[in-house]
Amino acid sequence: MWGGLFFMCEFEKKVKDKLEDILKASGVKKAAADGEVKVGVAVSGGADSIALLLALSEAFPLYVITVNHNIRSAEESGGDADFVLKVCEELRLKGRNVSCEVVELEKGEVERTADARGAGIEEAARFLRYEAFEKFAACHRLNVLCTAHTQNDQLETVLMRFLQGSPAEAAAGIREWREINGNSNAGIYARPLLCVTRTEIEEYVASRGFGWRTDKTNYETEYLRNRIRHKLVPLLEEQFPGWQRAVLSGAEKAGEDASFIQSYLEKIPFVPGNAIPLEVFSAYPKAIQRRLLLSACNKAGETARIPNAFIKEILGADGDFSKRFGSIEISRKNKQLFIKKYTESNTDLVFSDIIEETGTFEFPFGNLVVFNYKEQNGKGYVTVQAGESSLAENIPLPFCVRNARPGDTVLCADGSEKKVSDVYSDWHVALEKRSLVPVIQLLDENPQRIKALLAGFLGYKDWIVKL
């Protein structure tokens, strides 16, 4: 064991003790060869990961990995990697046993991956980053790879998942540890900083005489997490003292509920891809039915987030049916339930309808809910919702809902227009998903312009112009 060679301050002891607790709880320490645990650390150059690196270097020999995603300027992303290398070198000069490896992704690799996965840049960068982590852990036969998620990250995650209507297992927030690639023999990811705040971290790093790098995108409010961090959290701090304790307590209870549900699920002899007898499926509680459907969709190859509205629609359907979302088809026939990959391309899918009143309307993408009718200057206005998260307000009746056509443009906030196809490209919406995105076209003006693109329920963004 490396610990004991250097004097450890209170912060460092807190982080070391938390990692020791995680190693015991996960069984890693017991399983490690000769009881010697090999520890890796993922370091980006930010204050959180630098604090993790400094603290653990006082207790363990460390294998450090930093990933250059090449999605920012060479000066920024390359500068981050150089900074991490420099910190590691300084620690070695101080007698710490630290090695560092830089993984540099090819320029454009994140963008290509986003297109291929039908997801955004953030999701693609995370996918490639964790892919690099898995290879790094396997190469060095690590027992644990530590990441720098903090108590602040935990609070933001719980708030974000609450706003997204996530189930108990997601509402529990970030777990202290999980298996690498779902394989108990591949080691674990550990988050020993979940017990400390960002303020504690910055004070600690400064006290050690080190600095850190700041990613400018952390201040952009385009992403939900950043909006929560810069807009919602300050409001909660001002108006609701003690909110952090309440949120963390709720997350802990959600985690306990999730563990119970998972233990129940593991007892069910269910093989995704096989037909499920309706009599057997219907006997389970609704919470279990929903999770079985989600698991089957994911294992059938659907990588996009499955909207809860789609699952509710399946659970509430009567008689034989066949319903699709993305690349998944769920059908019921002869008292059997089938979940499979749908092979026909969605690119030829066409839908269009004129909405003249409130109500719930069924489309290939799921249900469109029109509600909150009000009148203004003799004209009726409504709120339109696709899925659980895509919401457009003050839409004049009647309006047209359809998917995009070649040459379509959408209104911008400054009154100009942008090609819908360019918006989809910016969002990295996969080609097979584009025909599922409903657009809202105004009918009370000439020309009849597109005011909204509702793609949020597919895991992308919404484009909604307020006129």
Side-chain angles (χ1 to χ4, degrees), residues 260-261 264-265 268 279-293 311 315:
F260 171 77
I261 294 172
Y264 189 105
L265 281 170
I268 298 175
E279 183 180 4
V280 174
F281 181 79
S282 300
Y284 293 121
K286 278 286 171 60
I288 299 300
Q289 292 177 13
R290 178 167 57 82
R291 285 167 173 82
L292 285 174
L293 288 177
I311 298 299
L315 295 177

Side-chain angles (χ1 to χ4, degrees), residues 53 57 60-64 88 91-92 96-100:
L53 169 61
S57 71
F60 303 93
L62 296 180
Y63 297 83
V64 176
C88 290
L91 288 174
R92 283 194 292 273
R96 278 54 171 179
N97 187 349
V98 177
S99 63
C100 184

Side-chain angles (χ1 to χ4, degrees), residues 1-66:
M1 176 62 67
W2 187 254
L5 295 180
F6 303 104
F7 172 75
M8 299 179 68
C9 71
E10 183 179 346
F11 179 93
E12 292 161 351
K13 186 175 185 306
K14 188 176 182 180
V15 176
K16 173 185 175 293
D17 288 348
K18 174 52 70 176
L19 180 57
E20 292 281 8
D21 289 344
I22 291 172
L23 294 175
K24 290 177 183 177
S26 64
V28 164
K29 192 165 186 177
K30 187 176 181 180
D34 302 322
E36 192 68 26
V37 177
K38 297 184 73 173
V39 181
V41 184
V43 183
S44 66
D48 301 343
S49 62
I50 292 297
L52 183 63
L53 169 61
L54 297 179
L56 291 182
S57 71
E58 298 293 321
F60 303 93
L62 296 180
Y63 297 83
V64 176
I65 180 173
T66 186

Side-chain angles (χ1 to χ4, degrees), residues 86 106 218 229 237 251 265 338 357 407:
K86 182 180 178 182
E106 293 182 7
N218 288 338
R229 179 178 300 173
E237 296 278 8
L265 281 170
F338 302 87
E357 58 187 0

Side-chain angles (χ1 to χ4, degrees), residues 4-289:
L5 295 180
F6 303 104
F7 172 75
M8 299 179 68
C9 71
E10 183 179 346
F11 179 93
E12 292 161 351
K13 186 175 185 306
K14 188 176 182 180
V15 176
K16 173 185 175 293
D17 288 348
K18 174 52 70 176
L19 180 57
E20 292 281 8
D21 289 344
I22 291 172
L23 294 175
K24 290 177 183 177
S26 64
V28 164
K29 192 165 186 177
K30 187 176 181 180
D34 302 322
E36 192 68 26
V37 177
K38 297 184 73 173
V39 181
V41 184
V43 183
S44 66
D48 301 343
S49 62
I50 292 297
L52 183 63
L53 169 61
L54 297 179
L56 291 182
S57 71
E58 298 293 321
F60 303 93
L62 296 180
Y63 297 83
V64 176
I65 180 173
T66 186
V67 180
N68 179 356
H69 299 87
N70 264 318
I71 53 178
R72 293 178 289 145
S73 68
E75 181 181 2
E76 286 185 282
S77 57
D80 290 347
D82 291 341
F83 177 76
V84 174
L85 286 169
K86 182 180 178 182
V87 172
C88 290
E89 177 61 26
E90 289 186 39
L91 288 174
R92 283 194 292 273
L93 292 174
K94 294 177 183 291
R96 278 54 171 179
N97 187 349
V98 177
S99 63
C100 184
E101 180 177 319
V102 177
V103 175
E104 183 169 353
L105 304 180
E106 293 182 7
K107 277 190 174 296
E109 185 174 358
V110 174
E111 290 83 353
R112 290 192 297 272
T113 301
D115 283 334
R117 290 174 61 82
I121 293 292
E122 273 193 311
E123 192 278 339
R126 183 185 184 281
F127 172 80
L128 292 171
R129 181 166 63 251
Y130 274 83
E131 190 174 64
F133 290 170
E134 289 172 13
K135 292 177 181 177
F136 180 75
C139 176
H140 295 285
R141 298 183 179 180
L142 301 181
N143 301 108
V144 56
L145 180 58
C146 299
T147 59
H149 295 85
T150 69
Q151 188 177 103
N152 294 70
D153 294 321
Q154 180 72 293
L155 289 164
E156 292 162 5
T157 297
V158 174
L159 289 172
M160 181 171 68
R161 291 178 178 173
F162 171 77
L163 293 173
Q164 292 172 327
S166 299
E169 51 267 39
I174 305 168
R175 291 182 288 168
E176 287 189 342
W177 65 272
R178 68 177 176 88
E179 294 174 345
I180 294 177
N181 202 24
N183 183 353
S184 59
N185 296 319
I188 64 168
Y189 291 114
R191 287 90 177 217
L193 294 187
L194 283 179
C195 59
V196 296
T197 67
R198 197 163 285 138
T199 299
E200 291 179 275
I201 282 167
E202 293 182 358
E203 289 176 352
Y204 164 69
V205 175
S207 72
R208 288 289 305 271
F210 285 85
W212 59 83
R213 300 277 290 184
T214 301
D215 186 345
K216 293 178 183 177
T217 61
N218 288 338
Y219 296 98
E220 297 174 357
T221 55
E222 179 181 0
Y223 302 111
L224 177 58
R225 180 180 291 276
N226 286 357
R227 291 202 300 276
I228 289 171
R229 179 178 300 173
H230 299 298
K231 294 182 179 293
L232 179 56
V233 168
L235 177 65
L236 292 173
E237 296 278 8
E238 179 184 346
Q239 299 292 333
F240 301 92
W243 70 273
Q244 299 99 327
R245 185 181 303 173
V247 169
L248 292 174
S249 175
E252 183 178 359
K253 294 170 185 174
E256 293 170 354
D257 292 345
S259 295
F260 171 77
I261 294 172
Q262 184 58 39
S263 66
Y264 189 105
L265 281 170
E266 289 172 356
K267 298 175 183 177
I268 298 175
F270 169 68
V271 179
N274 292 353
I276 310 170
L278 190 60
E279 183 180 4
V280 174
F281 181 79
S282 300
Y284 293 121
K286 278 286 171 60
I288 299 300
Q289 292 177 13

Side-chain angles (χ1 to χ4, degrees), residues 255-430:
E256 293 170 354
D257 292 345
S259 295
F260 171 77
I261 294 172
Q262 184 58 39
S263 66
Y264 189 105
L265 281 170
E266 289 172 356
K267 298 175 183 177
I268 298 175
F270 169 68
V271 179
N274 292 353
I276 310 170
L278 190 60
E279 183 180 4
V280 174
F281 181 79
S282 300
Y284 293 121
K286 278 286 171 60
I288 299 300
Q289 292 177 13
R290 178 167 57 82
R291 285 167 173 82
L292 285 174
L293 288 177
L294 286 171
S295 174
C297 289
N298 292 331
K299 291 183 178 181
E302 179 53 67
T303 57
R305 184 168 62 89
I306 308 294
N308 186 51
F310 177 70
I311 298 299
K312 286 177 67 176
E313 184 181 358
I314 297 298
L315 295 177
D318 293 322
D320 290 349
F321 64 81
S322 177
K323 297 181 182 293
R324 301 203 314 268
F325 172 82
S327 62
I328 292 298
E329 180 179 42
I330 300 180
S331 58
R332 187 166 69 197
K333 187 176 181 181
N334 298 327
K335 297 183 179 181
Q336 301 280 330
L337 199 61
F338 302 87
I339 299 97
K340 64 179 183 179
K341 187 92 169 179
Y342 187 70
T343 55
E344 181 181 327
S345 173
N346 283 328
T347 55
D348 296 327
L349 181 67
V350 176
F351 61 86
S352 178
D353 198 3
I354 295 177
I355 306 299
E356 300 180 288
E357 58 187 0
T358 58
T360 300
F361 304 89
E362 186 174 343
F363 288 93
F365 60 82
N367 288 336
L368 188 81
V369 183
V370 181
F371 63 102
N372 195 26
Y373 177 84
K374 59 184 177 182
E375 289 191 7
Q376 184 177 346
N377 298 325
K379 183 181 294 186
Y381 292 85
V382 293
T383 298
V384 179
Q385 181 173 352
E388 297 175 323
S389 56
S390 299
L391 202 70
E393 299 176 321
N394 295 319
I395 302 295
L397 288 174
F399 65 89
C400 179
V401 56
R402 60 177 177 82
N403 47 11
R405 302 164 184 161
D408 272 345
T409 59
V410 63
L411 282 169
C412 301
D414 60 4
S416 63
E417 297 189 17
K418 183 173 182 176
K419 287 184 178 180
V420 172
S421 58
D422 289 344
V423 175
Y424 290 165
S425 294
D426 292 343
W427 292 350
H428 299 280
V429 181

